[in-house]
Amino acid sequence: MADGGAVTEAGATHGVSLEVDAVSHEFGAYRALDDVSLRVEPGEVMALLGPSGCGKTTLLRVIAGFLAQSRGAVSVGGVRVDRLPPGRRNIGIVFQNYALFPHLTAAQNVGYGLAARGAARAEIARRTRQFLEVVRMEAYAERLPRELSGGQQQRIALARALCVSPGVLLLDEPFAALDKNLRLDMQIEIKRLQRRFGLTAILVTHDQEEAMSVADRVAVMRGGRIEQLGPPADVYDRPETLFVNNFIGSTNLLPGAVAADGSVRLAAGATVAPPRPAPAGARVVVSVRPEDVTLHDAPAPDRFPARCRLSLPLGAVTVLDLEAEGGAAVKVVRLRSAEGPTLDGPLWCGVREGARVSMFAEDS
Amino acid sequence: MRRIHAPADALYAAVVGLLGLIALAILVGPVLVVLAVSFTSEPSLRFPPQGFSLRWYAALIDPAQSGHIHEAALNSVTVALRAAGVATLVSGAAALWLRTRSGPAGRAVDLAFMSPLVLPMLSFGLAALILLTTIRVRPTLFWLSAGHLVVVAPYVLRTTAASLSQLGQPLLDSSASLGASRLYTFRRITLPIIAPGLAAGAFLAFMASMDNVPVSLFLSSARTDMLPIRLWGMIESSLDVRVAAASGVLVVSTTLLLLAMNRLVNLSRRISR
Ligand SMILES: Nc1ncnc2c1ncn2[C@@H]1O[C@H](COP(=O)(O)OP(=O)(O)O)[C@@H](O)[C@H]1O
Ligand SMILES: [Mg+2]
């Protein structure tokens, strides 16, 4: 059954590597994928992150074999699979709306792959029971999909994909249709299954928090291209482009210009050290994360004046909405317990020492 | 859930209820009138019926008196079964083919299949007759069935297309990804999902063929008499009450067929799980 993944006693498989090499795809004249390359190591979870319409689903469909790419190659476990039909690629997929077969019971859905491959009845029954247990849905075996909640349907969809022991699992926006609490539960559930089965997985999402919490590495996509690929912390701390910077987490973008001595003079009225050298006179945008903005009650050369417009207590942290000179909004997150100046008076904002500050050319 | 009805709600309910009753009366009323008349003991099609008897049903059943009616009924059922059967296969296949084709070719085929529904059936009947005369074949039950096939095919196409809307591409992709062959996917996913649509279409097609007049008018002959034509002929010549009795039989058997089909569709749903 498992062509590439080795099946152990417990029915667990070991994930295999997945390689996408210079894949492009066009719908008519529209290029939905443009020279995409990535490699997911065995047992690794990679998140495909990007705004709606950037080609995430298209890439997943190419990998799964529902769509033939115009150029490039897809390999699973080191073997080219892009000429193989979807069922022979050793890849499992969970669709955004689960795509459970509406006329089959939960158990029949789970056992479908084995039945389609002509497994013996007893074997199908045994594995079906096993995977219903894996996703804790034994009690719902005889229910039809429409008699299950969204989270339960998703568990069945997962069990159905896992039951044929794929080496690679693809998940297309698996949490999008769930409400917030359930979403967290399912993230934990998927992480648990992924660990237990050592699965290689690609998770498509447009929610950066989800990508950060579940994935080992994140690929940020834009307009059919991979804009940046790396561990979540790297992508968050060292975004390579303004697009990635804005897409991953919230941030303050402060326009400024590079002075003759190499320091950056912000339009809001402070001078800060640039994260990397830049030619004098260049117009730049400096990005500072809300948690890296410090508040003071006295001016200094590296601080700019601001006024607090709004303070939102958000559990353990407080989010402040400040207005810098000239009307620019500055967002600040600080611990509720943190000491600081009173918010009614004039304030001066600085950048926390050791903070990761990014700088981009203004027109990028 | 219980709600307190505002006067406007009550008025709304009353108006809708009344309209529903009127519609029901218009639709079902004539059928009841015919049923009532068929039990008359007088040799006239008058309403309200005079007396009560089963004499017209007896006359209808009697082969000596009504052999021609029986023959026509058998012809009609044969033609309807053939037309509906072939329409189910052809239109079912067409609906599957059309599912993924939204281009000009798809629209052309869809239009071709649906056109009998809007084009005057009389012209089609005439055209078919001219065609048959031109190629010098005598109108037989085969050609009648073929003619009916054309005019009942749209029903199956529509009902199947409606049930196909439940069959999203992700379902087919999932099946393929899980290792199913196209045939296996068709057998276990596609067919069970469209089965209710096919059954409903087949039923509608059968009924449409059973009381089709315009096409039969042109394509039937003395040797291939069809039930509606024969009944019309009887009314025309003698206001025969057996026509009312035959209508009664048709109404009752249609109702039974409808109930049976309902059961069957539910049954097939239950079996396929
Ligand atoms: N079958 C198709 N035909 C034409 N264009 C398509 C098709 N599928 C997707 N596209 C286009 O390709 C782009 C990428 O789509 P998709 O991969 O679904 O985006 P994402 O999943 O990232 O939201 C979109 O602009 C979309 O309009
Ligand atoms: Mg998508």
Side-chain angles (χ1 to χ4, degrees), chain A residues 98 137 148-157 177-178 182 186:
Chain A
Y98 321 130
M137 288 288 292
L148 298 173
S149 73
Q152 290 170 335
Q153 289 185 33
Q154 180 164 60
R155 285 168 200 270
I156 296 300
L178 303 176
L182 200 54
M186 286 312 297

Side-chain angles (χ1 to χ4, degrees), chain A residues 27-28 30 32 50-59 67 172-173 204:
Chain A
F27 291 111
Y30 178 75
S52 177
C54 71
K56 307 179 297 288
T57 298
T58 305
L59 179 57
L67 205 59
D172 193 356
E173 311 229 1
V204 164

Side-chain angles (χ1 to χ4, degrees), chain A residues 61 66 86-87 91 93 95 99-105 108 112-113 115-117 142 144 160 164, chain B residues 166 169-181 184-185 188-190 192-193 269 272-273:
Chain A
R61 290 173 59 79
F66 307 136
I91 292 174
I93 183 161
F95 286 92
L100 293 177
F101 305 127
H103 57 296
L104 300 182
T105 62
Q108 286 171 329
Y112 184 88
R117 290 161 194 228
E142 295 311 315
L144 287 175
R160 181 178 70 176
V164 291
Chain B
Q166 276 199 41
Q169 191 58 38
L171 286 189
L172 301 177
D173 285 346
S174 291
S175 179
S177 175
L178 289 164
S181 65
Y184 191 86
T185 302
R188 282 211 58 196
I189 308 299
T190 309
I193 287 178
R269 283 226 182 97
S272 71
R273 24 185 305 188

Side-chain angles (χ1 to χ4, degrees), chain A residues 23-47:
Chain A
V23 162
S24 296
H25 186 77
E26 283 99 26
F27 291 111
Y30 178 75
R31 179 166 288 193
L33 293 176
D34 187 6
D35 196 27
V36 172
S37 295
L38 55 84
R39 187 185 153 79
V40 193
E41 300 300 331
E44 187 188 26
V45 180
M46 180 177 288

